[in-house]
Amino acid sequence: MSLPPQKLPRRHAQRRTLYHGRHKTPPLDLSSAENPQAIKPQAKKRQKVPISDANDSSAASDSDSDSDSEAEFVVAGPNLANPCDETKAMMKREEQMWKLHCKKIRKGDPVAALKGATAEDFKTFLVWRKARKNSRIKRQATMSTYWHVLSMNYQRTAKRYIDEGIMADLRNWIPTLNLDDSEVEKSALYVEDLCVLQNGLWVLQESPINIFAGCTSTRPAALVGKIPLLYEDIEFQVFPPLIKGRRPAVRLILNLQHIKRSGRKKKP
């Protein structure tokens, strides 16, 4: 014999009605609560969103663009340094020396020999360079400079950088040649000495050149060299005095754009 359903308090029924109305869920029937099997869960159907063809075409175009950029980088090769004219002249000189060396030892094509050169080939070349008649290689820094220029020729010819192991091997091998590695003492020019020079060179109009060289830390030969300092590179500026009655201030501006070079860029 089943028992009659138990009556719930009125306030409890009101709370249940407000709760289910707020969450939009139907209230639980007491008759079904007594029979749990009668409650059937309502599973929510997950909506499947198909992938649009536009996304596929966009991804394909991005992939093609990346492939084209990669192919361009492969064809372009590594970014090599942009040497100045003096360095290019040294590279040309070292290229001629490499060709002469290959001819002496019957190495064959100098270009192919340079592309396939090993650490032993570079060492043989530098020893031959040092032992040549009328060779003036006395200092270790000079040999290091020749090796650096030769490595730049290798980069230009082979379109790639020298293996790091070869660079380390040559860097450790050059000090074993027993070349002079002492520091050269460079005496400073004091103000008193500069005054004596200015008095003696004033007639020859060399005094301004020496002053410019001392103020800008530039070699005098560079100021009057291949691209000399011109009048258009010199500018005077006159500023009024800060205190009335005194002389105006005169400033001289030098444009050394074609003379000084720093960080592979012309620098005024």
Side-chain angles (χ1 to χ4, degrees):
M1 181 177 181
S2 61
L3 297 176
Q6 185 180 2
K7 294 183 179 180
L8 298 175
R10 183 177 178 182
R11 184 173 296 177
H12 179 73
Q14 291 178 352
R15 289 177 180 176
R16 289 177 57 83
T17 303
L18 291 175
Y19 175 80
H20 292 290
R22 185 184 303 168
H23 296 276
K24 298 181 180 181
T25 57
L28 181 63
D29 190 6
L30 293 178
S31 61
S32 61
E34 296 178 357
N35 187 8
Q37 296 180 357
I39 302 176
K40 295 181 180 181
Q42 297 179 357
K44 295 182 179 180
K45 296 182 179 179
R46 183 175 299 177
Q47 186 178 1
K48 297 182 180 180
V49 180
I51 301 176
S52 62
D53 297 337
N55 293 336
D56 294 340
S57 60
S58 177
S61 61
D62 293 341
S63 178
D64 295 340
S65 177
D66 294 341
S67 300
D68 296 339
S69 299
E70 184 178 358
E72 292 178 359
F73 292 145
V74 171
V75 174
N79 293 330
L80 303 178
N82 183 22
C84 61
D85 295 337
E86 291 78 6
T87 305
K88 290 180 180 179
M90 296 176 62
M91 294 173 63
K92 186 66 175 178
R93 171 63 177 170
E94 212 60 26
E95 181 182 357
Q96 296 175 356
M97 298 300 296
W98 176 261
K99 291 180 179 179
L100 181 61
H101 170 68
C102 293
K103 183 179 179 180
K104 289 287 185 180
I105 64 175
R106 300 178 182 179
K107 194 72 174 179
D109 184 16
V111 176
L114 184 58
K115 289 182 178 180
T118 61
E120 290 73 19
D121 296 330
F122 292 129
K123 293 177 183 179
T124 304
F125 168 76
L126 294 177
V127 170
W128 170 83
R129 191 100 160 70
K130 176 177 176 293
R132 287 184 70 246
K133 187 177 181 180
N134 298 329
S135 176
R136 294 182 298 176
I137 302 177
K138 304 297 182 182
R139 298 187 55 81
Q140 180 176 318
T142 305
M143 182 63 75
S144 299
T145 301
Y146 288 150
W147 160 237
H148 179 67
V149 176
L150 181 61
S151 65
M152 296 179 64
N153 280 335
Y154 176 88
Q155 297 170 10
R156 294 280 176 178
T157 304
K159 302 299 181 182
R160 64 175 182 271
Y161 291 100
I162 296 182
D163 183 72
E164 189 64 26
I166 297 179
M167 295 293 293
D169 188 5
L170 269 294
R171 186 167 53 249
N172 297 330
W173 172 77
I174 289 178
T176 63
L177 298 177
N178 296 326
L179 296 173
D180 184 14
D181 61 343
S182 60
E183 296 184 2
V184 178
E185 182 179 358
K186 297 181 180 180
S187 302
L189 183 63
Y190 294 97
V191 178
E192 293 80 1
D193 301 329
L194 181 61
C195 291
V196 175
L197 291 176
Q198 301 309 323
N199 292 330
L201 299 176
W202 188 265
V203 180
L204 301 177
Q205 297 184 358
E206 292 184 4
S207 181
I209 298 297
N210 292 327
I211 293 177
F212 296 161
C215 295
T216 60
S217 300
T218 307
R219 293 179 295 106
L223 296 175
V224 295
K226 184 178 180 180
I227 305 179
L229 189 68
L230 305 177
Y231 283 110
E232 62 184 14
D233 299 325
I234 303 175
E235 178 183 354
F236 284 96
Q237 295 183 355
V238 181
F239 297 91
L242 298 178
I243 301 177
K244 186 177 181 180
R246 293 189 177 183
R247 295 181 179 180
V250 181
R251 299 291 183 268
L252 173 63
I253 300 177
L254 296 178
N255 182 11
L256 305 179
Q257 183 176 0
H258 301 290
I259 297 174
K260 297 186 73 65
R261 181 182 178 90
S262 177
R264 302 187 181 95
K265 294 182 179 179
K266 298 295 183 181
K267 192 173 183 181

